[in-house]
């Protein structure tokens, strides 16, 4: 009978070890809630002052072991929270980490903001449309803190926006949805340092056999020509840095080739912005296209910017 009771109590303690481990430091265990004989014999014996029963010594020992085990697992989980996917050993570990991140999001974000996420399940009203590079090091939500429902995003090689005359693409399809259906108030094109797409654009030769990448980055040819003209005296690396920003402005200008974008910009219902993230120095530059200073036609086009800011 005693063994049966012990077994049940031990089972209960282990099932509640999360509470024990989270409320009390494991190496003190139950000593944080001492049992002792009351100093005043006339006082009523409470649950916090009753004598510690000898037969419960084993339970106290079991609780220490269980809490210690939980503390070790808690420490392991803490380490895993900051574990880089690059260190994972295989698909099992990769998806194990992904699962942990999802459950962490669900428990610490989704459940705490349940009303907000339930509202988002019915409709979205983002203020921003963001066009960013597909580079794994440049995540707008991480860098700029966009939360679910705040920004409608599309990412492609070198964060390029093609001219309307170049035909349908996933980029202008997303633009059309963001502007005509979601009615966003801002479009932000984000470029970044060390962009391989821009580097490819700068070194590609006209007679080189085209690939999907080469065909896509030619949407930035005007920016490339402007860069070559303005930076002929600079090194190739410096030319690439120049073109990374020039291509952003060219994409902003290209958006004005879409009538439903130009009309809204002209009427003040939509603003076009550029952003440049340098992940080597962790700085961010932001500016806005000055519509009144821009000219767009078949022969030539020019742009002007305003409201420049540098965040460091």
């Amino acid at each position: 009978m005693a063994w049966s009771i012990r077994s049940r109590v031990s089972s209960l303690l282990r099932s509640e070890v999360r509470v024990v481990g989270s409320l009390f430091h494991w190496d003190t265990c139950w000593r944080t809630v001492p049992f002792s004989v009351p100093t005043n014999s006339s006082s009523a014996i409470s649950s916090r002052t009753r004598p510690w029963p000898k037969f419960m010594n084993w339970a106290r020992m079991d609780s220490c072991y269980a809490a210690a085990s939980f503390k070790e697992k808690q420490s392991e989980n803490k380490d895993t929270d900051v574990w880089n996917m690059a260190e994972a050993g295989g698909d099992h570990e990769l998806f194990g980490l992904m699962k942990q991140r999802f459950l962490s999001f669900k428990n610490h974000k989704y459940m705490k903001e349940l009303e907000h996420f339930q509202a988002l399940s019915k409709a979205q009203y983002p203020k921003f449309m963001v066009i960013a590079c597909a580079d794994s090091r440049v995540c707008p939500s991480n860098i700029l803190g966009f939360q679910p429902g705040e920004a409608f995003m599309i990412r492609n090689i070198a964060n390029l926006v093609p001219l309307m005359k170049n035909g349908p693409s996933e980029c202008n399809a997303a633009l059309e949805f963001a502007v005509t259906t979601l009615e966003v108030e801002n479009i932000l094109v984000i470029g970044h340092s060390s962009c391989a797409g821009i580097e490819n654009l700068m070194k590609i030769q006209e007679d080189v056999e085209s690939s999907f990448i080469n065909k896509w980055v030619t949407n930035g040819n005007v920016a490339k020509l402007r860069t070559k003209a303005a930076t002929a005296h600079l090194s190739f690396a410096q030319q690439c840095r120049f073109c990374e920003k020039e291509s952003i402005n060219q994409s902003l200008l290209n958006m004005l080739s879409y009538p439903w974008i130009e009309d809204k910009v002209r009427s003040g219902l939509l603003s076009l912005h550029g952003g440049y993230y340098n992940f080597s120095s962790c700085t961010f530059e932001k500016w806005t296209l000055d519509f009144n200073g821009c000219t767009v036609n078949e022969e030539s086009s020019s742009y002007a910017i305003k409201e420049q800011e540098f965040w460091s």
Side-chain angles (χ1 to χ4, degrees):
M1 181 65 177
W3 180 260
S4 176
I5 294 174
R6 171 174 175 168
S7 177
R8 290 187 179 184
V9 175
S10 179
S11 175
L12 178 61
L13 285 170
R14 292 184 183 278
S15 68
E16 296 299 327
V17 69
R18 184 176 296 275
V19 177
V20 175
S22 61
L23 295 181
F24 307 116
H25 196 278
W26 71 270
D27 61 0
T28 56
C29 296
W30 286 359
R31 288 195 294 274
T32 55
V33 186
F35 285 72
S36 60
V37 178
T39 54
N40 186 348
S41 59
S42 62
S43 300
I45 296 178
S46 71
S47 61
R48 292 179 64 85
T49 59
R50 65 178 179 271
W52 178 269
K54 290 184 178 180
F55 77 89
M56 287 294 284
N57 283 339
W58 58 266
R60 176 173 166 178
M61 181 176 65
D62 276 6
S63 75
C64 288
Y65 287 141
S69 174
F70 173 75
K71 192 72 176 181
E72 290 172 0
K73 290 183 180 294
Q74 197 176 44
S75 178
E76 291 173 2
N77 289 340
K78 185 177 181 181
D79 292 337
T80 308
D81 286 340
V82 295
W83 190 23
N84 195 309
M85 276 195 172
E87 299 173 1
D91 286 350
H92 180 72
E93 289 184 353
L94 282 171
F95 284 99
L97 176 58
M98 194 180 296
K99 176 183 177 181
Q100 181 183 336
R101 289 178 177 178
F102 168 72
L103 294 176
S104 177
F105 159 75
K106 180 178 181 179
N107 295 329
H108 298 109
K109 183 75 175 174
Y110 186 93
M111 297 307 296
K112 289 183 178 180
E113 301 175 24
L114 187 58
E115 185 176 346
H116 171 63
F117 281 100
Q118 287 180 337
L120 284 179
S121 70
K122 297 178 175 62
Q124 59 172 322
Y125 303 98
K127 297 286 187 182
F128 277 88
M129 159 76 170
V130 174
I131 301 170
C133 186
D135 194 301
S136 64
R137 301 164 294 181
V138 187
C139 176
S141 295
N142 258 347
I143 299 164
L144 301 177
F146 286 114
Q147 299 300 305
E150 291 183 347
F152 186 76
M153 297 189 190
I154 184 166
R155 300 176 68 177
N156 61 46
I157 299 296
N159 44 271
L160 296 171
V161 176
L163 286 164
M164 183 174 180
K165 68 178 183 180
N166 291 357
S169 70
E170 78 289 346
C171 184
N172 48 37
L175 274 170
E176 184 177 23
F177 184 77
V179 174
T180 63
T181 302
L182 297 178
E183 299 184 335
V184 297
E185 299 171 7
N186 302 275
I187 299 177
L188 174 62
V189 179
I190 304 174
H192 66 93
S193 59
S194 303
C195 181
I198 294 299
E199 182 180 342
N200 189 79
L201 168 66
M202 289 297 294
K203 68 183 181 183
I204 190 174
Q205 302 296 322
E206 291 183 6
D207 57 350
V208 173
E209 183 178 350
S210 291
S211 64
F212 288 119
I213 296 173
N214 290 347
K215 287 180 180 178
W216 172 254
V217 297
T218 56
N219 284 302
N221 270 345
V222 174
K224 174 182 177 178
L225 293 174
R226 284 180 173 164
T227 297
K228 292 287 189 181
T231 64
H233 60 291
L234 299 179
S235 68
F236 179 73
Q238 290 172 316
Q239 289 179 353
C240 288
R241 298 299 81 77
F242 186 95
C243 192
E244 285 165 356
K245 296 180 181 180
E246 187 63 31
S247 66
I248 297 170
N249 289 321
Q250 187 59 47
S251 286
L252 296 178
L253 206 55
N254 285 352
M255 279 191 267
L256 296 179
S257 68
Y258 298 86
W260 29 272
I261 291 181
E262 184 185 15
D263 290 345
K264 287 204 169 188
V265 173
R266 187 185 302 277
S267 62
L269 298 175
L270 179 64
S271 296
L272 307 181
H273 312 277
Y276 181 80
Y277 171 54
N278 187 322
F279 51 70
S280 296
S281 60
C282 195
T283 57
F284 194 90
E285 298 174 54
K286 172 266 173 190
W287 61 91
T288 299
L289 188 72
D290 184 357
F291 177 76
N292 294 324
C294 297
T295 58
V296 182
N297 53 56
E298 289 293 330
E299 290 84 26
S300 64
S301 59
S302 63
Y303 63 85
I305 60 175
K306 61 182 181 179
E307 300 172 9
Q308 293 176 268
E309 297 181 26
F310 184 80
W311 307 337
S312 61

